[in-house]
Amino acid sequence: ADNPVIIYGKAGDRHIPGQVGHKDKAVYYDVKQDPGRLEEMLKLSGGRRVVPVIVEGGHVKVGYGGT
């Protein structure tokens, strides 16, 4: 089975998950509601508080530009 796409974002970010085109298989975490997921996101993003952070197939993309 495919690994799910994991998206760390925050409520009110209407572009996610539809914007990344994976809404059927994406797992979405609201980092404002879940401090543990915020910690995970900060580790993945190198401490940058930028959403979305998207993890897909072991690759991490930070922000809408995907850097």
Side-chain angles (χ1 to χ4, degrees):
D2 289 344
N3 287 337
V5 175
I6 299 172
I7 302 168
Y8 297 88
K10 59 185 187 228
D13 232 339
R14 287 187 303 277
H15 304 290
I16 317 172
Q19 184 261 352
V20 294
H22 296 292
K23 53 184 173 245
D24 22 338
K25 63 176 184 174
V27 179
Y28 179 82
Y29 296 126
D30 183 344
V31 298
K32 281 195 145 183
Q33 300 297 320
D34 190 335
R37 297 298 181 189
L38 176 61
E39 289 298 315
E40 283 177 24
M41 185 196 89
L42 290 172
K43 283 183 188 146
L44 290 165
S45 69
R48 291 161 61 198
R49 289 177 175 264
V50 178
V51 294
V53 173
I54 302 163
V55 183
E56 182 176 6
H59 299 286
V60 178
K61 296 183 209 160
V62 180
Y64 287 109
T67 55

